[in-house]
Amino acid sequence: MRIGELSERTNTPRRMLRYYEEQGLIAAERLPNGYRAYDERFVDRVAQIRGLLDAGLPTRIIRQILPCLDKPRTIHFPDATPEMLHTLETELGRMQARVECMQRNRDAIAEYLEAVRPKADA
């Protein structure tokens, strides 16, 4: 599939897909006319990348763990190095802190909406 179709199917801007390619996260075959052609498997791969980026992982770490992704949204490390485990443990802690912050913000917004919404007449 060409970059436009991958962009549409993954809801990812073309520019971002080119960036993923520059970072070594995805690879395109080049057609004789110079257009990029992506394999079907990159639909799930882009979803994985976006999910990992949304979780706060930097592309340098994503590039390291991508070879271990054998199914959509599943990570396997049969031979993880101590450095990789340390890096992932550190990132997990950072993610957990962000999740807790987001939960506090969600609860604060919900409380605010509850306080300012008009009450239904009983």
Side-chain angles (χ1 to χ4, degrees), residues 109-120:
I109 290 170
E111 288 175 24
Y112 174 79
L113 287 172
E114 180 66 27
V116 298
R117 281 191 177 132
K119 305 293 185 222

Side-chain angles (χ1 to χ4, degrees), residues 83-119:
E83 295 81 17
M84 175 59 72
L85 293 174
H86 175 72
T87 298
L88 290 174
E89 287 169 352
T90 300
E91 290 302 321
L92 180 61
R94 289 180 185 162
M95 284 182 210
Q96 184 61 39
R98 284 193 298 274
V99 165
E100 290 168 4
C101 180
M102 290 180 72
Q103 288 173 333
R104 286 191 307 273
N105 291 341
R106 179 204 58 208
D107 293 346
I109 290 170
E111 288 175 24
Y112 174 79
L113 287 172
E114 180 66 27
V116 298
R117 281 191 177 132
K119 305 293 185 222

Side-chain angles (χ1 to χ4, degrees), residues 63-88:
R63 185 175 43 252
Q64 292 174 0
I65 65 174
L66 276 177
C68 302
L69 297 171
D70 66 351
K71 295 180 190 173
R73 296 162 229 21
T74 303
I75 299 174
H76 297 280
F77 273 104
D79 56 350
T81 65
E83 295 81 17
M84 175 59 72
L85 293 174
H86 175 72
T87 298
L88 290 174

Side-chain angles (χ1 to χ4, degrees), residues 18-59:
R18 289 185 197 100
Y19 173 74
Y20 294 167
E21 191 174 345
E22 288 171 10
Q23 295 298 306
L25 304 176
I26 61 175
E29 176 186 336
R30 288 294 184 156
L31 301 176
N33 61 7
Y35 290 169
R36 290 172 170 88
Y38 295 93
D39 188 89
E40 179 72 25
R41 68 189 169 94
F42 286 116
V43 173
D44 281 331
R45 178 58 52 100
V46 169
Q48 291 169 327
I49 292 167
R50 289 184 61 130
L52 293 167
L53 285 168
D54 288 347
L57 287 174
T59 57

